[in-house]
Amino acid sequence: MLAVRKKIYACFIDYEKAFDRVFHSVLMEMLSGVNIDSKDRRIIQNLYWKQTASVLTSTGTSEEFEVKRGVRQGCVLSPILFNLYTDKIFKDDLAGVRMGGEEYSNLRYADDTVLIAETIEELQELVTEVKVRSLAKGLKMNVKKTKTMVIRRNIEEECKIDISVDGKILEQVKKYLYLGHMITEDGRCETEIRRRLEIARTNFMNMKNLLTARVLRLETRKKLIRCYILSTLLYASETWAINQIMMEKIEAFEMWIWRRCLKISYTEHKTNIEVLQEVGENRKLKKEIIKRKLQYFGHLIRKDGIQKKLLDAEVEGKRGRGRPITSWMGNITKWTGKGYEQLCAETEDRRCWRRIISNVLVEQDTSR
C-alpha cells in the first residue's frame, strides 16, 4: 500500500474484559454450526458447562454460583474459541481495503482486532457496524483504549480524522503496540527495530553483574545472552522489512554485547575481529534474521493463506515519488537474487528451499 499513493485508515479495537464476556450458550451454538467433530465439541462443552465458583472474603466464603460466560485466561483454546465467537461480527459483507479483487476489513487474533478502510467515511461506517454487532454478542468497546491511525507514506502531510463511538471521538495515535509489534503511521519497521534494540540493551544492563562476572564460565554467559538478550531482540524479526541502516545498527549492537561481556574498553582499540576471536563467536544476528525471514516466506507460500493472497495482490494507484521504500518482499528477492514467481515455485520442494536458504547464508559469510 505504501508503494503507491494510498492511505490506510485503521482503528485498533479494545474490548472491555473481552474473554470474560463470552456467553457459553452462544459459543456452543457457534460450534454446532462449524465443521468440528461432535466428540471435540463435547470435550469443550464439558470444560465450560456446569462450572461453579465462590468468592472468598475476609468473613468467609460465599455460596456457590453457576458460571455461564467467559473463556479461560491462558488456555490455548481460548483465542480460537474467541475467534469463532466473534466470527459473525467481522463477516465478509463489511467494506474494507481492496487488494487483488478482494476486500479486507479486519485483521484479528483473539481480542486483538484492527479495522482497516480506504476512506474516513468507510472506517466510520465500519466502526459503527462492528460496535452494534459486538453489543449483540455481549462485547463492549472500550472507547478510551480504542485508537485510530492513518498509515501513509508521507507523514509530513497532516491527516486528522475524527472517528466517533457513542458520540465520543476516538484518539488518533502515531504509533500503536499491536501483538507485540509497534505499528507506526509511516508503515515502516525502523521504530520497532529500535525499540527491540533498546529492550535488549535494557535487559543486558539489568543483568550486567551476571553477564560480565568473571566467576562464570564464558560459555555459560554466552548461553544466558542468547536466552535472555538475543531472544528479545529477535522477537517477530521474520516480519521486519529491514534496510541496510537498521541491519548495521543490529550488527553494532551485537558487537556492543560482546565488548561489554568481556569488559573491553574502547581505549584498548581492539578491532571487531579481535573481539570475536576472543569471545569465540562469529557474527550471527544478520544471518539469523535472514534465515528466519526465508523460512517464514516458505511457510507462507506453502500454506497458501491470506498472507500469500496479500503478497500476490496488486494495489491500485500511482506509485509514490522518490526512492522506493524497503519492502518485506524486497528483502527476500534481494537476498536470493530471484524473482517472486520463481521463489514461489521453489518453496514447494522443502529440500530445495532448505538448500537455497543454506546457500544464501553461506554467501553472507563470504561477502564480509
Side-chain angles (χ1 to χ4, degrees):
M1 298 294 287
L2 298 176
V4 298
R5 298 175 184 175
K6 205 163 192 176
K7 299 174 183 176
I8 300 176
Y9 298 89
C11 178
F12 298 91
I13 293 179
D14 183 272
Y15 286 118
E16 294 182 1
K17 301 177 181 178
F19 277 20
D20 295 333
R21 296 182 180 273
V22 175
F23 289 100
H24 294 169
S25 56
V26 179
L27 177 61
M28 294 308 159
E29 289 178 10
M30 295 288 297
L31 293 175
S32 300
V34 297
N35 187 24
I36 296 179
D37 187 87
S38 59
K39 294 180 180 179
D40 293 332
R41 286 202 306 271
R42 191 156 56 247
I43 291 174
I44 296 172
Q45 185 170 332
N46 290 336
L47 283 172
Y48 287 99
W49 230 242
K50 297 181 180 179
Q51 291 185 88
T52 58
S54 58
V55 180
L56 178 63
T57 66
S58 58
T59 58
T61 305
S62 69
E63 294 183 1
E64 289 189 348
F65 54 89
E66 192 174 355
V67 179
K68 296 184 177 180
R69 69 178 187 179
V71 291
R72 290 184 173 88
Q73 295 282 348
C75 175
V76 293
L77 275 178
S78 295
I80 300 172
L81 294 175
F82 190 87
N83 278 348
L84 290 171
Y85 185 80
T86 58
D87 191 53
K88 287 189 177 180
I89 297 176
F90 305 98
K91 57 186 179 182
D92 296 335
D93 61 341
L94 298 173
V97 174
R98 287 167 282 278
M99 294 180 65
E102 297 188 29
E103 291 194 53
Y104 300 91
S105 62
N106 63 88
L107 301 170
R108 294 182 291 138
Y109 179 77
D111 59 331
D112 293 302
T113 303
V114 53
L115 305 177
I116 52 177
E118 292 189 352
T119 65
I120 301 174
E121 294 75 19
E122 286 182 354
L123 183 61
Q124 180 63 71
E125 292 176 6
L126 196 55
V127 171
T128 302
E129 182 64 24
V130 167
K131 176 237 173 186
V132 173
R133 295 182 184 183
S134 298
L135 285 175
K137 293 286 186 180
L139 300 173
K140 183 181 179 182
M141 282 188 192
N142 188 333
V143 178
K144 290 184 179 179
K145 293 184 178 180
T146 298
K147 312 294 182 182
T148 61
M149 181 188 293
V150 183
I151 303 173
R152 59 199 186 277
R153 178 167 179 160
N154 183 15
I155 59 174
E156 295 179 359
E157 175 189 354
E158 187 68 25
C159 192
K160 175 68 175 173
I161 61 172
D162 292 328
I163 304 297
S164 63
V165 174
D166 295 330
K168 298 179 180 178
I169 302 298
L170 300 178
E171 180 186 357
Q172 182 179 348
V173 295
K174 295 183 177 181
K175 57 184 180 180
Y176 187 87
L177 189 62
Y178 181 70
L179 296 179
H181 186 102
M182 186 63 73
I183 307 295
T184 56
E185 61 180 353
D186 62 1
R188 304 187 184 189
C189 295
E190 280 85 346
T191 300
E192 168 62 11
I193 295 172
R194 287 192 175 95
R195 173 176 164 271
R196 281 284 144 195
L197 286 169
E198 286 309 309
I199 291 174
R201 194 185 307 275
T202 301
N203 287 352
F204 184 94
M205 296 307 296
N206 290 339
M207 300 176 65
K208 180 181 177 181
N209 292 338
L210 182 64
L211 298 178
T212 61
R214 302 282 186 178
V215 293
L216 283 179
R217 293 174 59 246
L218 179 58
E219 287 302 318
T220 301
R221 286 183 279 155
K222 285 160 63 175
K223 287 180 181 179
L224 291 172
I225 288 172
R226 284 192 288 268
C227 179
Y228 295 104
I229 312 303
L230 300 186
S231 62
T232 58
L233 170 63
L234 295 174
Y235 173 80
S237 58
E238 58 268 27
T239 66
W240 295 346
I242 185 166
N243 58 29
Q244 184 62 31
I245 295 175
M246 289 296 104
M247 192 67 84
E248 289 174 358
K249 288 184 178 295
I250 290 171
E251 291 192 300
F253 175 73
E254 184 176 16
M255 294 309 306
W256 180 88
I257 288 176
W258 299 132
R259 288 177 181 273
R260 294 300 182 280
C261 180
L262 298 177
K263 294 185 177 180
I264 298 174
S265 171
Y266 72 93
T267 58
E268 296 182 42
H269 301 293
K270 284 192 176 182
T271 65
N272 289 338
I273 295 176
E274 291 174 330
V275 173
L276 290 171
Q277 288 175 346
E278 189 171 340
V279 80
E281 287 287 329
N282 295 316
R283 289 184 185 250
K284 293 181 178 178
L285 287 183
K286 180 179 180 179
K287 290 175 63 177
E288 183 63 26
I289 292 171
I290 293 173
K291 179 182 176 182
R292 291 188 180 197
K293 286 198 65 171
L294 293 176
Q295 288 177 338
Y296 186 53
F297 174 77
H299 172 72
L300 295 186
I301 300 302
R302 286 190 296 270
K303 188 178 180 181
D304 197 21
I306 184 174
Q307 294 94 336
K308 185 176 184 299
K309 290 181 180 179
L310 293 175
L311 288 175
D312 292 337
E314 292 185 4
V315 182
E316 296 180 0
K318 293 183 178 179
R319 187 164 295 278
R321 297 176 63 183
R323 180 184 299 177
I325 64 173
T326 302
S327 66
W328 187 87
M329 192 62 220
N331 288 155
I332 306 294
T333 55
K334 179 182 177 181
W335 293 332
T336 59
K338 300 180 181 182
Y340 175 68
E341 293 183 358
Q342 183 181 356
L343 290 171
C344 289
E346 291 177 338
T347 56
E348 296 300 324
D349 185 340
R350 291 176 181 268
R351 187 174 298 177
C352 173
W353 187 240
R354 283 195 293 267
R355 186 167 59 251
I356 290 173
I357 294 175
S358 178
N359 291 338
V360 171
L361 298 180
V362 169
E363 288 175 4
Q364 292 299 321
D365 277 338
T366 57
S367 64
R368 290 195 171 279

